Amino acid sequence: MSEITKKIQEIAREILEKGEAEIVIGWEKGTFWYLSPPAFIDKPEDTQRLVWDEFCHNNLSKYLLDYKNHEGKVAIFVKGCDSRAFNRLLQDKQVDREKVVLIGIPCTGLKDQDKAKSLGPNGDIPKAQKCMECKYPTPLVYDYLIGGEEALNEVAATKEAPDFSDVKAVEEMTPDERYDFWTKQYDRCLRCYACRNVCPACSCRECIFDQTRIGWIGKANNSSENQFFALTRAMHVAGRCVECGECERACPMDIPIMLLNKKLIKDINELFGKYDAGIDPEGKLPLGHFDKNDPEEFM
Amino acid sequence: MKRVGVFICHCGSNIAAAVDCEKVAENAKSFPGVAFSTDYKYMCAEPGQDLIKKAIKEHKLDRIVVASCSPRMHEPTFRRCIESGGLNPYLLEMANIREHCSWVHPDDKERATFKATELVRMAVAKVLKNEPLDKSTIPITKRALVIGGGIAGIQAALDIANAGHIVDVVEKEPSIGGRMAQIDKTFPTLDCSACILTPKMVEVANHPNVNLITYSEIEKVEGYVGNFDVTIRKKARSVDMKACTGCGTCYQKCPSKVPSEFEMEMMDRKAIYTPFPQAIPNKPVIDRENCRYFKTGKCGVCQKVCPTNAVDFTQEDELVTERYGAIVVATGFDLFDESVYGEYGYGKYKDVITGLHFERLINASGPTMGKIKRPSDGKIPKNVVFIKCVGSRDEVKGKAYCSKTCCMYTAKHATLVREKIKDSNVYVFYMDVRTPGKGYDEFYTRTTDQFGAKYIRGRVSKIYEKGDKLIVRGEDTLLGRPVEVEADMVVLATAMVAKSDAAKLAQMIGFSYDQNHFYTEAHPKLAPVETHTAGVYLAGACQGPKDIPDSVAQASAAAVKVCGLLSKEEMPTEPIISAVDEAICAGCGMCVPVCPYKAIDMKVIQERVHGKTISRKVATVNSGLCQGCGACTVACRSAALNLKHFTNEQILAEVDALCL
Amino acid sequence: MSVKEIPQNWEPKILVFACNWCTYAGADLAGLSRLQYPPNIRILRVPCSGRVNPQFVIRAFQRGVDGVLVAGCHPGDCHYVTGNYFTRRRYLLMQRLLQYVGIDPERFQARWISGSEGPKFQQVVNQITEEIRAMGPNRKLRDAQ
């Protein structure tokens, strides 16, 4: 058992025993060796199920939305991206800071789940793409910190710069090539909404794609409607995406969803100045305010 | 089953010449929902309107499309028409087939007819989703608040009070009067400022409808037109206003001297003081920062000498909340910080002063009892230099705008120097002389021709001391040569700037201000005293540099707006506003910052979930504030917000109809 | 049918979202001044350009519109004070996103046209109509027919 897993189990047990929280959300081993899905623990003796390994992908902050009406406190483990998601949910007034116990884990990067599956446990499994571009590997907000300040500094040194070369590659195509590229991607979309369901930026009480009364959301699974979904989803997470890459990982059809999200992140930074979502829970959202000196292209 | 009636107007030949109206009416018969369709020569004329009303009855129509001119022209007409025909006025849509069709496509009847048909189809598709809307009303509290007790505030308060409404005037300083009280004479008539201001001060103080709240500041503003809840901080005066008789013994005996703000620090006042002899209320306050008792705990002389026991060191700030129907903001201006111009030596040379210092110097009750004496040694200056546009019209170091009053008050100062000091020489450095205003140019002409002030067109580059003289170096750009004046005193015509806390007040009340922090009027031409916030009006220099006549005129205009509002028991609200579907609203609050009218608040609702009562926050739209722009509807990702009459469903129905 | 093939008698169909206070008034002025332009545009009146949800734009392309113009008051002149500043942010982003998924830049445009700019309205409509006519019918994002 790894040192961190041990610490995780200890602290989770302590929190439950002391009654600091009624539920601890962490990760546990799943059906396969390369899966570490979320675990919802409410008994101290169950904390031994908790693990920390290179497959703890799920952004746990998202699950806090399920506990909005829960009276007691909930404890969750947060990596850098989970903590950004938590800040985002604070900014969206979807969580109450007082009702959540955050246990920070400095994260040195997770492994690519799909590659793990194909290469096997002994293969040389590369890091997940999102982790190779991760600017915030350490949690930004926490009540407890696994490994202490020392681990925090060590991990902070491993931070990477975002890489927009994949976005640029698409930008360099001709319009028709781009259209073909995205049509091929979204023609595969099943409209299962897994991308939305794991996304911590998707915090609506009722997603418009689930609404029946509304006249603008086609339910049909066809090229046009799928692209409507793709563009609308992208605009809805514009300025809110914390780059956790969960949408892409959850997509059963391997649609490069982050390629859309990253485009918007790149454009927001280029057009409206530097902005990283989920850093400042008090800050204004890029599409929630304006600057009179914004670029003027519509003269 | 909805039954739409379609009415195609020929507008004489205005439409009919380019569009086959009969054919459009015929085509419309096949559109879903259309029960009746016809064309007529003049829909807006009496017989045309009767045609519509008759058709509503005969064909049991429940919504109407009129295809004619722009709805910006006749939408109100046809709304009234169908209302008198028995329908809700909002069950009308118009297709603009004149401005947007016949007039711009006069040469291609076939395609213009096709376009008109499509425009009608869009309107029919939309009207099928129209809902009847009702105007509601909000109550009006018949009490006005004027913020600022300068001449603008006083005038506004008097006008409102004379119309029979109750007005509260909140003034930050211990006395009302504002800047005008500091001024000696007024242009272009040279009548004494105090002589025309103090009667107004007395009038407003004694008016049965006016309630003066001096030495007080606005702390919080909530609510909306007709119903502003304003919290006012009444600062502790340390003097019981009821007991004090204003005898003045306290400030005669007070041992602490403080430079007087009113006298531009050229004279001292006491720690317990009234700002000037004619102050209203003429009852002192204790400046606690400079009071010996508050600083050391020892002293209390004022308390001992007060014959009525009015001095009360234990007084505390008091917060009062009052409800107002309307607010007039008349907070005035500050002076530009001229120390930015290091080359003029302001602050370094005692005899380089501002225009407002000069006003006090020539004032009979000022530090020199009205004798023009220079501050450094009290000598009577012989050569006086005036420099205009200090901070105005200077984008680099100052403000880009013209301060509007400086040309005239400099001319006034020049005249007064020449009048009071017979052997004096007056030099005025200027960029331009701007004298629009009744009697203004005549005054300026007298200043130069009759009083012999020498106007030199050019900027001053440097002022330095030489002995007891100030050497003013500049350039005469008309003659194209350098000039040097040996001056005894230099007066800078400093720019008017917004109050340092102007932005704070605007944010508190919720209206906008420009890059210079002057308050923004709703429309620069047609709504110059309104703000974008209904029920809040502007008066005086807080909106931009203004002289006294302009400030007074604007104050009276603002007062009329207030009276218009307060003359009603309640006011109707436009029904085209946003509405929240609470079942969908997640309470994220994204809509709040995009609303320009602060019309959206968050409220807590309670509901039953799995047998438990939970409370959660949702957005709520204030119908008194919402103006129906729809910005919030786009900010809301889950479409919990929708704009009535321009709903998502209606707009999409139009989009779809266009593409059939 | 390939994208380049243009059917006979095809006329571009262009949807203009016009704010009530500026652009709609500008179009009215174009009419009052009898400024001619091709009859390919359909104006949809909205209170403010800030009311135009990006989803409306996608829907228009889905239903077969060949081009979309969102037009409102010039920044600083918005009848609703700040609406068009949000429009500008939103559509700066949306325009790039549409291009990123392959929509030709001419197909979606935004412009500021005031109530006094009748000639500008005419000129913008002329220009967009010509650009889109040259490109042929839009097939991208369209519903299967």
Side-chain angles (χ1 to χ4, degrees):
Chain A
M1 195 195 302
S2 90
E3 196 58 28
I4 297 177
T5 297
K6 220 153 111 193
K7 283 185 187 155
I8 280 180
Q9 293 180 354
E10 274 167 23
I11 197 160
R13 175 179 271 274
E14 216 178 292
I15 285 171
L16 287 175
E17 279 173 351
K18 283 190 186 160
E20 262 187 78
E22 291 166 7
I23 295 156
V24 177
I25 311 176
W27 301 271
E28 65 182 331
K29 280 322 285 177
T31 326
F32 300 104
W33 63 274
Y34 52 82
L35 295 180
S36 304
F40 303 82
I41 310 286
D42 57 3
K43 293 186 198 73
E45 58 271 28
D46 288 349
T47 52
Q48 60 188 17
R49 276 161 51 198
L50 294 171
V51 295
W52 169 256
D53 65 10
E54 286 145 325
F55 299 103
C56 293
H57 281 283
N58 284 70
N59 194 324
L60 299 182
S61 293
K62 171 80 182 188
Y63 297 94
L64 290 174
L65 293 176
D66 298 338
Y67 291 91
K68 270 167 86 171
N69 297 333
H70 186 79
E71 272 165 28
K73 279 190 167 188
V74 179
I76 61 163
F77 288 93
V78 288
K79 311 182 286 287
C81 46
D82 305 53
S83 73
R84 286 178 70 186
F86 181 77
N87 276 338
R88 274 287 315 115
L89 293 176
L90 272 181
Q91 201 176 9
D92 278 355
K93 303 179 181 65
Q94 298 303 302
V95 290
D96 186 348
R97 181 68 184 89
E98 304 298 307
K99 283 175 67 184
V100 182
V101 180
L102 296 170
I103 311 142
I105 305 180
C107 169
T108 48
L110 307 179
K111 295 212 162 146
D112 188 310
Q113 187 181 293
D114 290 341
K115 298 248 168 63
K117 186 178 167 186
S118 56
L119 292 169
N122 300 321
D124 184 14
I125 309 158
K127 265 194 189 181
Q129 183 62 34
K130 62 167 178 182
C131 300
M132 289 197 270
E133 300 178 35
C134 178
K135 234 170 125 179
Y136 299 95
T138 55
L140 297 162
V141 51
Y142 50 81
D143 298 308
Y144 297 100
L145 186 63
I146 302 289
E149 295 291 322
E150 203 177 311
L152 198 67
N153 295 335
E154 236 168 74
V155 168
T158 68
K159 76 169 190 174
E160 304 282 348
D163 172 17
F164 291 107
S165 57
D166 47 355
V167 174
K168 285 177 192 144
V170 177
E171 285 172 344
E172 275 158 21
M173 298 178 192
T174 66
D176 289 350
E177 284 168 355
R178 285 198 291 269
Y179 188 72
D180 288 342
F181 172 81
W182 285 110
T183 307
K184 276 192 196 110
Q185 301 297 347
Y186 269 91
D187 274 358
R188 298 202 302 278
C189 176
L190 307 169
R191 302 291 285 281
C192 69
Y193 301 133
C195 52
R196 176 199 68 188
N197 295 347
V198 292
C199 176
C202 285
S203 57
C204 287
R205 208 171 130 81
E206 193 180 355
C207 175
I208 52 163
F209 290 98
D210 289 340
Q211 292 170 15
T212 45
R213 64 170 176 94
I214 211 152
W216 63 18
I217 307 302
K219 301 278 174 185
N221 182 359
N222 62 44
S223 189
S224 172
E225 293 294 354
N226 290 356
Q227 290 182 56
F228 183 102
F229 167 67
L231 291 170
T232 303
R233 193 208 57 81
M235 280 304 279
H236 281 191
V237 302
R240 342 160 68 89
C241 170
V242 294
E243 300 155 89
C244 68
E246 277 297 275
C247 48
E248 202 166 292
R249 187 185 64 86
C251 178
M253 302 314 288
D254 296 326
I255 297 171
I257 304 171
M258 281 303 289
L259 202 50
L260 280 172
N261 296 346
K262 280 167 71 180
K263 165 69 176 165
L264 285 158
I265 290 168
K266 177 170 173 276
D267 285 346
I268 285 171
N269 277 275
E270 283 172 6
L271 288 165
F272 313 131
K274 273 209 63 55
Y275 185 81
D276 288 333
I279 306 308
D280 174 13
E282 307 289 322
K284 294 175 184 163
L285 285 164
L287 289 179
H289 78 292
F290 63 85
D291 185 328
K292 286 185 178 171
N293 300 315
D294 280 336
E296 184 49 86
E297 295 177 1
F298 301 152
M299 289 313 283
Chain B
M1 192 59 188
K2 288 162 184 165
R3 295 175 64 81
V4 181
V6 177
F7 299 86
I8 316 290
C9 178
H10 293 210
C11 195
S13 62
N14 276 311
I15 295 170
V19 171
D20 184 343
C21 295
E22 269 174 60
K23 194 171 169 199
V24 176
E26 197 53 41
N27 291 343
K29 285 182 181 155
S30 66
F31 298 161
V34 173
F36 177 76
S37 176
T38 190
D39 57 306
Y40 185 71
K41 215 161 180 56
Y42 290 107
M43 252 0 179
C44 63
E46 195 83 30
Q49 294 195 38
D50 287 342
L51 179 81
I52 296 173
K53 289 180 219 168
K54 220 171 98 195
I56 291 172
K57 295 219 163 50
E58 273 179 19
H59 300 275
K60 299 189 174 61
L61 305 177
D62 58 10
R63 45 205 75 211
I64 302 296
V65 168
V66 177
S68 60
C69 53
S70 172
R72 291 170 54 85
M73 174 100 180
H74 270 318
E75 197 171 50
T77 313
F78 291 115
R79 274 189 187 158
R80 277 195 303 271
C81 165
I82 73 163
E83 192 171 19
S84 69
L87 296 184
N88 180 287
Y90 292 91
L91 294 173
L92 167 85
E93 282 300 323
M94 290 183 72
N96 184 344
I97 60 168
R98 191 178 76 173
E99 283 87 342
H100 293 185
C101 192
S102 67
W103 278 352
V104 286
H105 316 307
D107 302 328
D108 189 342
K109 197 159 186 172
E110 194 187 328
R111 288 180 67 203
T113 304
F114 175 67
K115 177 174 173 178
T117 304
E118 289 212 331
L119 292 176
V120 172
R121 191 165 58 206
M122 285 168 77
V124 169
K126 186 181 178 196
V127 84
L128 283 169
K129 293 184 186 291
N130 279 23
E131 293 286 338
L133 301 177
D134 293 310
K135 291 198 174 185
S136 62
T137 55
I138 47 174
I140 304 277
T141 308
K142 298 202 168 217
R143 188 184 192 97
L145 172 67
V146 174
I147 305 173
I151 182 59
I154 290 172
Q155 185 65 45
L158 278 174
D159 289 344
I160 296 166
N162 284 333
H165 303 293
I166 305 292
V167 199
D168 289 357
V169 179
V170 171
E171 167 60 50
K172 199 198 253 179
E173 301 297 327
S175 168
I176 58 166
R179 291 288 181 198
M180 191 176 167
Q182 284 181 285
I183 293 170
D184 180 54
K185 293 212 164 33
T186 54
F187 58 78
T189 47
L190 289 185
D191 45 353
C192 125
S193 185
C195 310
I196 55 175
L197 174 68
T198 44
K200 278 210 184 272
M201 287 166 63
V202 173
E203 190 186 345
V204 79
N206 293 337
H207 203 294
N209 286 346
V210 180
N211 179 25
L212 290 187
I213 309 171
T214 53
Y215 209 48
S216 299
E217 290 184 47
I218 305 300
E219 187 85 3
K220 196 166 82 182
V221 179
E222 283 178 329
Y224 51 93
V225 56
N227 305 277
F228 294 104
D229 289 318
V230 181
T231 305
I232 299 163
R233 176 179 292 274
K234 292 184 167 176
K235 290 181 281 188
R237 286 183 93 98
S238 317
V239 170
D240 180 349
M241 290 283 273
K242 282 200 188 96
C244 176
T245 60
C247 70
T249 316
C250 54
Y251 51 79
Q252 282 157 16
K253 304 286 183 205
C254 172
S256 305
K257 286 185 179 174
V258 187
S260 159
E261 298 84 356
F262 182 83
E263 298 293 353
M264 301 302 286
E265 307 196 345
M266 294 187 294
M267 216 173 140
D268 286 337
R269 62 163 168 85
K270 298 296 180 59
I272 183 163
Y273 72 109
T274 57
F276 54 101
Q278 308 96 318
I280 288 184
N282 201 1
K283 293 179 184 178
V285 299
I286 293 181
D287 164 9
R288 292 188 173 185
E289 267 175 39
N290 291 301
C291 168
R292 201 173 283 180
Y293 178 85
F294 281 99
K295 282 202 301 198
T296 66
K298 295 182 195 121
C299 187
V301 169
C302 50
Q303 198 173 39
K304 283 173 209 139
V305 300
C306 179
T308 59
N309 264 331
V311 175
D312 177 5
F313 295 127
T314 64
Q315 255 187 23
E316 280 176 22
D317 286 8
E318 191 190 341
L319 291 178
V320 289
T321 301
E322 188 72 56
R323 178 167 283 198
Y324 299 99
I327 299 177
V328 176
V329 183
T331 46
F333 65 96
D334 271 337
L335 282 185
F336 181 75
D337 175 14
E338 50 289 282
S339 60
V340 168
Y341 292 84
E343 65 270 32
Y344 294 166
Y346 178 82
K348 194 159 96 187
Y349 308 132
K350 276 190 164 174
D351 296 327
V352 178
I353 58 172
T354 71
L356 211 49
H357 287 90
F358 187 83
E359 294 288 349
R360 296 315 304 155
L361 276 186
I362 45 173
N363 189 279
S365 59
T368 56
M369 310 304 275
K371 286 232 157 58
I372 304 176
K373 291 179 184 169
R374 56 187 217 167
S376 62
D377 51 14
K379 276 189 197 156
I380 292 181
K382 193 161 171 282
N383 292 337
V384 182
V385 169
F386 291 89
I387 305 174
K388 295 209 287 186
C389 294
V390 179
S392 308
R393 305 175 68 200
D394 182 354
E395 271 178 75
V396 183
K397 286 164 114 177
K399 304 288 181 184
Y401 55 81
C402 165
S403 289
K404 203 174 174 185
T405 56
C406 327
C407 281
M408 284 308 293
Y409 76 65
T410 300
K412 175 187 75 178
H413 291 170
T415 303
L416 291 172
V417 171
R418 289 286 300 122
E419 219 174 49
K420 292 206 171 187
I421 310 170
K422 289 295 171 217
D423 59 345
S424 59
N425 297 302
V426 169
Y427 304 90
V428 180
F429 284 88
Y430 71 99
M431 283 162 69
D432 290 293
V433 178
R434 297 176 168 181
T435 55
K438 200 170 174 183
Y440 286 11
D441 203 61
E442 295 90 318
F443 185 91
Y444 161 63
T445 310
R446 274 204 303 279
T447 307
T448 53
D449 297 359
Q450 201 174 318
F451 288 92
K454 296 178 186 69
Y455 272 64
I456 303 162
R457 190 178 194 280
R459 276 267 193 205
V460 169
S461 57
K462 196 168 175 54
I463 296 175
Y464 61 94
E465 228 169 11
K466 193 174 163 194
D468 69 343
K469 298 279 185 194
L470 289 164
I471 308 300
V472 181
R473 266 209 192 142
E475 188 179 290
D476 187 329
T477 53
L478 293 182
L479 299 176
R481 65 176 187 212
V483 275
E484 203 173 275
V485 182
E486 256 193 22
D488 298 302
M489 190 165 86
V490 177
V491 183
L492 308 178
T494 40
M496 275 180 165
V497 297
K499 282 271 181 198
S500 56
D501 54 358
K504 199 177 126 202
L505 183 68
Q507 286 160 4
M508 209 188 297
I509 303 178
F511 58 86
S512 49
Y513 48 91
D514 65 20
Q515 70 268 35
N516 298 312
H517 291 195
F518 285 121
Y519 297 149
T520 311
E521 63 282 3
H523 190 283
K525 268 76 76 177
L526 301 176
V529 302
E530 291 94 329
T531 64
H532 282 293
T533 303
V536 180
Y537 307 98
L538 301 174
C542 62
Q543 182 250 354
K546 253 176 222 72
D547 57 17
I548 296 164
D550 282 1
S551 297
V552 170
Q554 200 189 14
S556 289
V560 168
K561 296 284 171 188
V562 170
C563 294
L565 189 63
L566 299 191
S567 66
K568 289 174 258 183
E569 296 299 326
E570 48 189 22
M571 65 179 263
T573 57
E574 183 54 53
I576 301 178
I577 56 169
S578 284
V580 181
D581 185 338
E582 292 179 355
I584 294 173
C585 177
C588 74
M590 266 294 274
C591 47
V592 175
V594 305
C595 176
Y597 305 102
K598 288 193 177 174
I600 305 177
D601 278 322
M602 304 307 289
K603 68 169 182 188
V604 176
I605 57 164
Q606 260 150 14
E607 61 186 19
R608 300 279 293 171
V609 177
H610 304 307
K612 273 196 311 191
T613 302
I614 60 134
S615 49
R616 63 183 179 93
K617 278 189 173 170
V618 294
T620 172
V621 177
N622 184 321
S623 61
L625 292 177
C626 178
Q627 305 283 312
C629 70
C632 54
T633 63
V634 188
C636 182
R637 292 164 295 148
S638 57
L641 277 150
N642 216 341
L643 178 63
K644 290 176 187 172
H645 208 65
F646 292 95
T647 61
N648 295 328
E649 296 75 11
Q650 284 175 299
I651 293 172
L652 288 167
E654 285 185 90
V655 171
D656 288 357
L658 151 68
C659 297
L660 285 173
Chain C
M1 191 195 296
S2 103
V3 172
K4 296 290 169 221
E5 242 173 79
I6 299 178
Q8 266 194 339
N9 300 330
W10 172 78
E11 281 292 335
K13 191 168 273 189
I14 298 157
L15 175 60
V16 180
F17 288 102
C19 86
N20 181 52
W21 306 96
C22 286
T23 307
Y24 197 93
D28 278 359
L29 180 62
L32 284 162
S33 319
R34 309 297 197 275
L35 302 175
Q36 295 186 35
Y37 52 79
N40 299 77
I41 62 152
R42 304 288 179 266
I43 293 176
L44 196 158
R45 183 164 71 128
V46 283
C48 176
S49 59
R51 171 69 185 95
V52 185
N53 194 315
Q55 284 146 253
F56 301 164
V57 176
I58 312 174
R59 170 73 158 245
F61 284 125
Q62 282 190 298
R63 293 294 186 261
V65 156
D66 299 302
V68 175
L69 171 69
V70 172
C73 313
H74 287 264
D77 293 347
C78 180
H79 180 79
Y80 302 105
V81 197
T82 53
N84 55 4
Y85 286 117
F86 287 104
T87 310
R88 183 165 68 182
R89 275 222 159 177
R90 194 173 292 134
Y91 283 102
L92 277 168
L93 214 52
M94 180 69 180
Q95 193 176 39
R96 281 164 172 72
L97 182 65
L98 284 172
Q99 289 176 22
Y100 187 68
V101 298
I103 308 303
D104 306 272
E106 296 83 356
R107 301 275 188 202
F108 172 79
Q109 304 193 33
R111 286 283 193 288
W112 311 128
I113 303 171
S114 80
S116 63
E117 292 177 327
K120 180 173 179 184
F121 183 84
Q122 176 196 37
Q123 173 247 315
V124 167
V125 170
N126 279 337
Q127 180 212 327
I128 292 183
T129 311
E130 281 326 299
E131 280 171 2
I132 289 172
R133 187 184 297 283
M135 296 180 74
N138 181 44
R139 311 255 171 235
K140 293 171 183 173
L141 296 179
R142 267 194 93 159
D143 281 342
Q145 292 134 46

